[in-house]
Amino acid sequence: MSSSPTERGEWSSKIGFILAAAGSAIGLGNIWRFPYTAGENGGAAFLFLYLLCILFIGLPVMIAELSIGRRTRKDPVGAFDAIKPKSPWRLIGFMGVFTGLAILAYYCVIAGVTVGYIAKTVSYNTTSFSEYTANPLMTIPLLLLFVVLTVLVVQGGVRNGIERWAKILMPLLLILMVVLIIRSVTLEGASRGLSFYLKPDFSKITGKTFLAALGQAFFSLSLGMGAMITYGSYLSKKDNIVTSGIFVSFFDTLIAVMAGLLIFPALFFAGVSPDAGPGLVFEVLPVIFAKLPGGTLIGASFFLLLSVAALTSTISLLEVVTAYLVDEKHILRKRAVWFVAAVAFLFGIPSALSFGAVEWLSDLPLVGMSFFGFMDWLFGNVMLAVGAVFISIFFGWVWKRVKSTTEIEEGCPGYSAWAPVILFLLRFFCPIAIAIVLFFKFKDLIAG
Ligand code: PHE
């Protein structure tokens, strides 16, 4: 980022962008949210649906977001406005920015707990996840810590902040996961876990499984709220949008699939139930660490790297809201960042208190879930899916076909041969499929 606080940056290299976008995508969504969502939704059948959602819905939406971002070089609100000036489409951008803020708020709660688990591991503290998170003196300071960490990186701007972090630490996480998987699959009873995770029982698929898989695909790929529009806005015309999108989606999916291989075999060994919810990985991982020589060090390193993965995701969430305030409201970058962070912290407090610290927040009347669970359901599933419907329609029907094709062709010669396929998916398949899933979800909700 240059010294002028409102000037926009650009990625210093192609690999810088890919790593940053992969950094946004790879995070708690893969390692914490994916395993427990798969566990709650039947394991292998969920995995199967999830992979289909990534391929036929996630990938096209990713290409749509990146190209809208690069074409307009704007935050999500400005981007819709630039292509379709003075239209209600900017509301979709605005909805994305708000969704980003809401996700940031509750995401930092779990990210904070991850940081806490570094200390918990090295101090041989054996408190359970539910006891640990029921303590507001734990969750609130950790939430604050994580919000501040995110601010410190985002303040550095695109080049110094986001890129440098992503480059160094993501590969380390991958290596450590491979080591842990090897231990997990050689534990006693591992085969039961593997068959739960890999042998689909399609009778377990319900309407709920579909929304869970679709929502998880959007959440994990950071789609549906403009994060990839914002990151795409820092891409240069030389970059290849299609291969970058494929690369990011592939790595994100790889890490999620690996997280499943890590958790499920150990879960059966440890006797934890697959539908244990958000505490699942925090309960299961220490069991694997205990089975390794130097487990304390390995455990602490794992939580450290997971915290960094979470950080590269919160950076992107904060960046979306910041880019909006800087581009549209002309607020100084530094001021915008602190303002958003303060709001995210306050907005995160009820989530931090909903793991047992405050009873009614932990079991909200009427909705039957915790405040945290409700935020994740509403913003992390539903709103991302709603956002993705509109982004697909915008790309497919509002943005002129020639224009979108020309934009993607730059840096990706030969795209025009594929354009009809991408356009078909974004015009018809994605909006209709997502809308059907949402419709059944709401029908369920009203009936239930
Ligand atoms: N994709 C991130 C993860 O998997 C979370 C995220 C969602 C980040 C939406 C940005 C936008 O952890």
Side-chain angles (χ1 to χ4, degrees):
M1 205 75 183
S2 89
S3 53
S4 156
T6 54
E7 197 180 299
R8 297 181 69 76
E10 197 171 275
W11 308 104
S12 61
S13 64
K14 190 172 163 181
I15 192 75
F17 162 76
I18 287 183
L19 287 172
S24 165
I26 298 167
L28 294 171
N30 309 59
I31 294 168
W32 157 78
R33 197 181 193 263
F34 174 81
Y36 87 78
T37 311
E40 280 173 347
N41 289 283
F46 174 87
L47 175 64
F48 177 76
L49 279 186
Y50 174 71
L51 294 175
L52 289 183
C53 290
I54 295 273
L55 193 62
F56 292 108
I57 299 178
L59 194 55
V61 174
M62 168 91 76
I63 292 172
E65 284 204 27
L66 290 177
S67 56
I68 293 172
R70 190 177 68 175
R71 169 76 235 150
T72 57
R73 306 210 156 271
K74 288 270 164 62
D75 65 286
V77 177
F80 284 105
D81 227 18
I83 292 179
K84 193 81 187 159
K86 308 234 176 329
S87 69
W89 280 99
R90 69 195 322 261
L91 292 177
I92 302 304
F94 194 76
M95 187 179 91
V97 171
F98 187 77
T99 303
L101 181 62
I103 294 180
L104 178 65
Y106 75 82
Y107 194 96
C108 282
V109 174
I110 291 292
V113 170
T114 312
V115 174
Y117 261 61
I118 305 171
K120 183 173 178 296
T121 308
V122 288
S123 60
Y124 297 99
N125 172 340
T126 54
T127 326
S128 69
F129 175 81
S130 43
E131 257 176 276
Y132 190 83
T133 50
N135 181 357
L137 294 177
M138 220 63 196
T139 49
I140 291 180
L142 286 170
L143 161 68
L144 181 63
L145 172 72
F146 210 87
V147 171
V148 171
L149 276 176
T150 309
V151 165
L152 294 179
V153 183
V154 170
Q155 249 185 19
V158 173
R159 250 177 228 182
N160 305 334
I162 303 175
E163 270 188 65
R164 198 174 50 195
W165 280 95
K167 234 181 265 188
I168 314 169
L169 292 155
M170 288 290 117
L172 272 182
L173 177 68
L174 195 79
I175 297 168
L176 190 56
M177 283 182 78
V178 172
V179 174
L180 294 175
I181 289 174
I182 294 173
R183 179 65 268 212
S184 178
V185 296
T186 51
L187 288 171
E188 211 178 305
S191 58
R192 280 183 57 212
L194 285 174
S195 69
F196 175 80
Y197 182 48
L198 300 173
K199 268 214 198 111
D201 172 359
F202 290 109
S203 67
K204 289 206 178 121
I205 294 184
T206 63
K208 182 175 158 269
T209 328
F210 270 101
L211 182 67
L214 191 64
Q216 177 62 24
F218 292 136
F219 186 89
S220 194
L221 293 174
S222 307
L223 295 175
M225 39 104 6
M228 290 299 161
I229 295 182
T230 309
Y231 271 26
S233 75
Y234 306 122
L235 270 172
S236 90
K237 296 285 178 197
K238 289 193 290 292
D239 294 315
N240 187 327
I241 288 178
V242 178
T243 51
S244 307
I246 292 176
F247 190 91
V248 171
S249 311
F250 174 78
F251 268 95
D252 185 68
T253 309
L254 179 73
I255 300 278
V257 171
M258 282 171 65
L261 285 178
L262 171 59
I263 297 299
F264 289 109
L267 175 146
F268 281 86
F269 171 81
V272 175
S273 159
D275 59 4
L280 182 72
V281 293
F282 290 101
E283 297 293 0
V284 172
L285 282 169
V287 177
I288 309 177
F289 303 145
K291 283 278 170 187
L292 280 164
T296 307
L297 187 66
I298 294 180
S301 318
F302 184 83
F303 286 122
L304 177 70
L305 292 173
L306 184 55
S307 306
V308 175
L311 189 59
T312 53
S313 300
T314 53
I315 287 166
S316 70
L317 290 160
L318 181 55
E319 182 60 28
V320 172
V321 193
T322 303
Y324 163 71
L325 293 176
V326 172
D327 287 354
E328 304 300 312
K329 304 280 168 212
H330 308 291
I331 297 178
L332 290 185
R333 189 173 174 88
K334 202 172 187 168
R335 232 179 255 171
V337 166
W338 281 104
F339 172 72
V340 179
V343 176
F345 171 64
L346 293 176
F347 204 9
I349 291 176
S351 289
L353 294 176
S354 72
F355 287 89
V358 173
E359 212 171 305
W360 72 271
L361 284 173
S362 310
D363 188 6
L364 286 182
L366 293 175
V367 289
M369 32 180 145
S370 69
F371 188 82
F372 174 90
F374 181 68
M375 292 285 286
D376 187 40
W377 176 78
L378 182 60
F379 294 102
N381 269 342
V382 176
M383 292 306 276
L384 293 182
V386 172
V389 171
F390 285 109
I391 291 168
S392 311
I393 294 176
F394 187 77
F395 182 98
W397 298 99
V398 179
W399 199 10
K400 296 261 177 317
R401 181 194 174 125
V402 218
K403 293 202 172 151
S404 65
T405 308
T406 318
E407 179 60 37
I408 302 175
E409 273 253 325
E410 275 197 74
C412 179
Y415 168 73
S416 51
W418 285 93
V421 179
I422 301 290
L423 272 164
F424 170 79
L425 289 171
L426 288 167
R427 281 189 164 170
F428 302 101
F429 185 74
C430 300
I432 294 173
I434 306 168
I436 291 177
V437 171
L438 282 172
F439 173 77
F440 279 106
K441 185 69 211 172
F442 278 99
K443 222 179 106 208
D444 256 20
L445 207 68
I446 291 161

